[in-house]
Amino acid sequence: MHTAQNLIKGYRRKRVIVCLLVAVVTLLLTFGLRFISQRDLNQHQIDAYARHTVESLDKILLPLAGKQHELTRLVGQPCERVHLPIRKQAAALQTLRSIALVKSGILYCSSVFGERDVVLRQRQPSLPDPQPQLLLSTDQSLIKGSPILIQWYPASQDGEDGVMLTINIHLLSSLLLEPQKPQIERVIVSVGNRFYSESQGISDTLQLTGDEDVETRRSMLFPFSISVTTPGAAMLALEELPAQAPLAVILALLLSAVAWIATAGRMSFTREIALGIERREFELYCQPQLDTRTGQCCGVEILLRWNNPRLGRISPDVFIPVAERENFIAPLTRYVLSETVRQIGYFPPNPQFHISINVASSHFLHGVLLRDVSQYWFAARPQQQLVLEITERDDLQGVDYPLVRELHRKGVRLAIDDFGTGNSALSWLEQLHPDILKIDKSFTNAIGTDAVNSTVTDIIIALGQRLNIELIAEGVETPQQAHYLRRHGVPVLQGYLYAKPMPLAEFPRWLAGGSLPPKEHNGRVVPVIL
């Protein structure tokens, strides 16, 4: 009784630790995910604001650029003839403050003042210029000292003739440059080496405080950029994080309760598995695989069954997931390897005959699988080809890729089981470099019935053939399915059409053409993923 009580206390202590870990991890994940989500949302809003501002200013400047040729044709004509047309143009382009015509460096006609005689370089030292220019400057004639945006278009090769468009930057500020707090604190227009913001006006340096982040986006159409200053997407997300505390606490309590309930019947199940291995309660079955080109059996897949004398027959769908969750899948795989080698005499001693054993991705960690294969398989020097199947539904992060390369070097073939049913098929192909793809029975069953899955089946077949990877179709149950797969070039088939899973001792009789083994006592046989 004392020992039993200690075991119960031990399991309870483990469950409490698990529940506390679940609560802590839930809190950390909730805060972490909410922080990342809010940070990304803030960054998206900042980027969207900067992009929208650039696009809006582009839309203001594009109509002015479109009038370039029409206005430059007016340069040199008498002001009394062109004054009215340029006034109409200035009125139509509402963001303009004025249009000025320049001849030989002299501003001789203005849409606001009419006829003038002003040396342009005295007002704007960088003009005239033989190249089109976009400038930030200050007004020297209408509202002196006010910030303006100048667009200059030359009308002669030497640049002494041209059109100067003055844009009302105060109007732009009210339309485009309003900050949107808390994400956007200031909006700065940069043209050349000059900067304008509503709070600081025009300056030759970008003036920043120490706690401001700057996001800049350049126009692809005109020589300007928009910079926005922010407290930072991460800082804004941190400020909003305390509001997520109630949700995080509720999730932590809920998942801790779920963990407490879920661990009630599983904390001791690994003991049953260990006892079953020790007493050899697990029995090996095999399912033949047929080569469609020769019609001969070219290999088998090893499956595992458990008739527990204490609990009765236990489905692989029950003990395999529990073993995986409780990190007990590696001992089961060692058992399968050792039992397969012990009963290797039931299979043809032919290097062309392969024996497939399912493994979990977690078994690849730290070279454990390589040591086990070397100890249980290579040490026995079997003549048959070893194939290790890893299901695509497993976690790819558990795979030790140097170990994969070493297995390939030793002649072990790798197969991806249930291909196409997981979330990362292409990633598996890229990182595992498998020798075999096993088409899942769900796709095989869909042949002739389900248009979507049939299309996926064709894609998997084409992918395997394109990459020169051998294909095996599981779950073949009808001649129509077999015919379809053979016609599409799948070389190896496996399923009830040819044979149900059978004890290893029954395989030689099946191979010799004898009667098929009897059905299992509990009905339908369910394939096992080890």
Side-chain angles (χ1 to χ4, degrees), residues 116-242:
R116 306 203 72 190
D117 185 16
V118 176
V119 178
L120 179 59
R121 199 170 298 278
Q122 292 179 354
R123 298 291 178 88
Q124 301 295 336
S126 59
L127 297 177
D129 191 276
Q131 298 295 327
Q133 296 288 336
L134 186 67
L135 305 171
L136 275 174
S137 186
T138 53
D139 194 355
Q140 301 297 326
S141 56
L142 186 59
I143 305 177
K144 294 186 177 182
S146 64
I148 55 174
L149 188 63
I150 296 176
Q151 207 168 15
W152 164 259
Y153 293 110
S156 62
Q157 290 186 350
D158 61 2
E160 292 297 308
D161 303 344
V163 177
M164 184 175 73
L165 308 175
T166 302
I167 300 171
N168 191 340
I169 205 166
H170 278 307
L171 180 60
L172 290 182
S173 296
S174 60
L175 290 176
L176 306 177
L177 308 181
E178 284 287 337
Q180 293 184 353
K181 295 184 177 181
Q183 285 90 355
I184 310 298
E185 293 183 331
R186 285 193 301 149
V187 185
I188 302 165
V189 180
S190 305
V191 180
N193 57 358
R194 308 199 79 185
F195 306 90
Y196 170 78
S197 66
E198 191 171 14
S199 60
Q200 295 182 349
I202 293 178
S203 64
D204 294 330
T205 58
L206 182 59
Q207 302 175 11
L208 299 173
T209 61
D211 57 350
E212 285 183 317
D213 286 349
V214 179
E215 301 283 343
T216 300
R217 183 173 289 271
R218 296 186 177 278
S219 170
M220 303 299 293
L221 303 176
F222 299 97
F224 74 89
S225 63
I226 296 293
S227 299
V228 295
T229 64
T230 76
M235 182 60 66
L236 290 169
L238 281 175
E239 292 175 355
E240 298 173 10
L241 205 55

Side-chain angles (χ1 to χ4, degrees), residues 284-337:
L284 297 192
Y285 275 55
C286 67
Q287 186 171 28
Q289 298 173 344
L290 272 72
D291 189 329
T292 59
R293 294 159 295 194
T294 64
Q296 301 297 315
C297 178
C298 60
V300 295
E301 178 182 2
I302 301 297
L303 308 171
L304 199 60
R305 300 292 182 262
W306 188 13
N307 188 7
N308 189 312
R310 297 164 299 282
L311 304 174
R313 190 175 294 272
I314 300 176
S315 168
D317 290 337
V318 175
F319 69 81
I320 294 297
V322 172
E324 289 177 338
R325 281 194 293 269
E326 300 299 332
N327 294 321
F328 219 80
I329 196 65
L332 274 178
T333 304
R334 294 186 193 104
Y335 178 90
V336 172
L337 282 168

Side-chain angles (χ1 to χ4, degrees), residues 21 23 36 48 71 95 117 119 141 156 160 162 193 198 223 226 248 252 255 275 280 283-284 291 298 454 459 478 522:
L21 287 175
I36 292 171
L71 293 173
T95 55
D117 185 16
V119 178
S141 56
S156 62
E160 292 297 308
N193 57 358
E198 191 171 14
I226 296 293
L255 291 181
L275 198 60
R280 295 189 177 276
E283 184 179 2
L284 297 192
D291 189 329
C298 60
S454 292
I459 292 173
T478 67
N522 63 338

